[in-house]
Amino acid sequence: MPNKTPLHDAHVAAGGKMVDFAGWELPIHYGSQIEEHHAVRRAAGMFDVSHMTVVDIQGAGARDYLRYLLANDIAKLGETGQALYGCMLDHQGGVLDDLITYYLADDFYRTVVNAATRDQDIAWMREQAGDFDVDIVERDDLAMVAVQGPEARERVIDVLNAAAAESLKPFRAISHGDYFVARTGYTGEDGFEVLMPESEAEGFWQQLVEAGVQPCGLGARDSLRLEAGLNLYGQDMDTSTTPLESNLGWTVAFDPGDRQFIGRKALEQQKADGVPRRLVGLVMGRGGIPRTGSTVHTDNGEGQVTSGAFGPTTECPVALARIPAGEFEEVEVELRGRRLKARVVKPPFVRMGKVRI
């Protein structure tokens, strides 16, 4: 049986079409994925992301441990609540997961990892702890709601009466009573991701509904993140790909040169040899929708669509694709035996409600 979040009954009561996602029963939509998508781009929508895993890392060795565990360098974090996005790699440089890490104190950090990789992530984190003086604690007592869109912050601040969050900068978080409010998201829009005790989740959700925030499902979350050019673990990257091949080279901190993080040697070797593949954006006409796995033909060989859909905001098909290294203005995507032209662009396709292609 799939796991259920604290908001499960609220989803069912609101008419959510429930599906199994990474072992969790979650709404794919509440009637119209397109309307939910537009609600986030134009006003405010919210997502139940309580299936994601919150892990607190505490102890005198927490900082050194995370500098070894992650390809990005948490030494960049020095202000309470400051956040950093990056990848956790295996020793071959393959991506085990992408996650956000929050600095709460020199000996206290909080990470949020993906539901689909929950068990392997925690097992890996504990295995790599070795002699570091750290405690790794899964916070399964917390729920999480993402509220996104140009009006999202205003709605959350009003509901929580959290005036302190008005001046919160992107990739920063504050504690507000029992709530942890972070100015982060996965849609390409402004907003908050809010952690709270499970017992508070349904009340918070209903208050947001009354404030005019649109409940949204997994379908809109996927189309929004794709338009925003954000990778989905298991599709756009996994252990068979490195950050350098996944448009995430900017998240790898090679400086300082004496910091030894897991996967560093493999990434340095790949850089020296030349990165063989890269993740790009594709824009197509109306002849077909690029789907995951579709073959991409280039002058340097074949690639593959990793994520593709019709973009409700772009009003055209868009995709992320991993293709051979090289500079291309145009490629061909094979759909049902036909080769259709696609323009190569740098993601994102949409940011803060504005089409960028």
Side-chain angles (χ1 to χ4, degrees), residues 91-170:
H91 292 290
Q92 292 72 47
V95 180
L96 289 167
D97 198 9
D98 62 324
L99 47 85
I100 292 179
T101 304
Y102 298 91
Y103 169 84
L104 302 181
D106 288 340
D107 59 354
F108 185 10
Y109 295 80
R110 170 165 288 169
T111 64
V112 181
V113 303
N114 287 303
T117 55
R118 177 184 196 144
D119 293 340
Q120 75 168 31
D121 282 2
I122 293 175
W124 178 261
M125 292 167 80
R126 288 177 173 155
E127 179 183 340
Q128 302 309 314
D131 296 329
F132 291 101
D133 180 10
V134 292
D135 289 321
I136 299 169
V137 180
E138 182 181 0
R139 295 296 306 274
D140 54 9
D141 58 322
L142 297 175
M144 186 173 178
V145 175
V147 190
Q148 303 282 288
E151 299 176 10
R153 292 174 57 231
E154 176 186 347
R155 307 288 176 90
V156 172
I157 290 167
D158 287 347
V159 165
L160 291 181
N161 192 25
E166 289 184 12
S167 59
L168 196 61
K169 297 178 182 178

Side-chain angles (χ1 to χ4, degrees), residues 259-291:
R259 181 177 72 99
Q260 294 306 311
F261 61 83
I262 297 170
R264 177 172 188 140
K265 290 182 179 178
L267 296 188
E268 288 178 330
Q269 187 63 55
Q270 188 175 63
K271 280 188 68 177
D273 294 342
V275 180
R277 304 177 294 176
R278 63 191 186 109
L279 192 69
V280 300
L282 301 181
V283 180
M284 297 180 63
R286 294 183 177 271
I289 307 296
R291 298 299 185 189

Side-chain angles (χ1 to χ4, degrees), residues 34-331:
I34 300 298
E35 289 180 7
E36 293 165 21
H37 179 108
H38 288 317
V40 172
R41 289 278 184 250
R42 298 167 180 171
M46 60 183 174
F47 306 84
D48 178 10
V49 288
S50 302
H51 59 296
M52 298 187 73
T53 305
V54 180
V55 182
D56 285 348
I57 298 169
Q58 301 181 63
R63 182 176 183 273
D64 289 341
Y65 165 67
L66 287 169
R67 295 193 75 204
Y68 171 68
L69 183 74
L70 304 177
N72 212 340
D73 191 359
I74 58 94
K76 298 174 183 178
L77 305 179
E79 300 175 15
T80 301
Q82 192 174 2
L84 186 74
Y85 171 75
C87 295
M88 182 167 65
L89 309 179
D90 61 21
H91 292 290
Q92 292 72 47
V95 180
L96 289 167
D97 198 9
D98 62 324
L99 47 85
I100 292 179
T101 304
Y102 298 91
Y103 169 84
L104 302 181
D106 288 340
D107 59 354
F108 185 10
Y109 295 80
R110 170 165 288 169
T111 64
V112 181
V113 303
N114 287 303
T117 55
R118 177 184 196 144
D119 293 340
Q120 75 168 31
D121 282 2
I122 293 175
W124 178 261
M125 292 167 80
R126 288 177 173 155
E127 179 183 340
Q128 302 309 314
D131 296 329
F132 291 101
D133 180 10
V134 292
D135 289 321
I136 299 169
V137 180
E138 182 181 0
R139 295 296 306 274
D140 54 9
D141 58 322
L142 297 175
M144 186 173 178
V145 175
V147 190
Q148 303 282 288
E151 299 176 10
R153 292 174 57 231
E154 176 186 347
R155 307 288 176 90
V156 172
I157 290 167
D158 287 347
V159 165
L160 291 181
N161 192 25
E166 289 184 12
S167 59
L168 196 61
K169 297 178 182 178
F171 264 68
R172 298 291 195 279
I174 58 168
S175 294
H176 178 70
D178 291 334
Y179 290 74
F180 184 78
V181 182
R183 194 173 173 187
T184 52
Y186 190 53
T187 63
E189 298 297 326
D190 204 351
F192 291 132
E193 292 179 310
V194 185
L195 297 172
M196 70 216 74
E198 288 186 341
S199 60
E200 298 285 330
E202 190 165 357
F204 177 60
W205 184 270
Q206 294 302 335
Q207 284 182 289
L208 289 170
V209 169
E210 292 167 9
V213 180
Q214 169 71 53
C216 301
L218 295 168
R221 185 168 167 82
D222 191 53
S223 58
L224 288 159
R225 71 89 194 168
L226 175 56
E227 286 189 338
L230 300 174
N231 290 11
L232 174 63
Y233 189 84
Q235 283 190 201
D236 306 302
M237 58 186 173
D238 55 26
T239 53
S240 71
T241 62
T242 73
L244 306 184
E245 300 170 302
S246 305
N247 204 23
L248 293 174
W250 60 275
T251 71
V252 180
F254 287 108
D255 292 326
D258 60 350
R259 181 177 72 99
Q260 294 306 311
F261 61 83
I262 297 170
R264 177 172 188 140
K265 290 182 179 178
L267 296 188
E268 288 178 330
Q269 187 63 55
Q270 188 175 63
K271 280 188 68 177
D273 294 342
V275 180
R277 304 177 294 176
R278 63 191 186 109
L279 192 69
V280 300
L282 301 181
V283 180
M284 297 180 63
R286 294 183 177 271
I289 307 296
R291 298 299 185 189
T292 301
S294 298
T295 299
V296 180
H297 298 274
T298 80
D299 291 341
N300 291 352
E302 294 183 352
Q304 191 174 71
V305 170
T306 57
S307 291
F310 184 85
T313 309
T314 61
E315 298 184 335
C316 66
V318 295
L320 296 177
R322 183 165 284 103
I323 62 175
E327 296 298 323
F328 309 101
E329 293 185 359
E330 192 174 83
V331 296

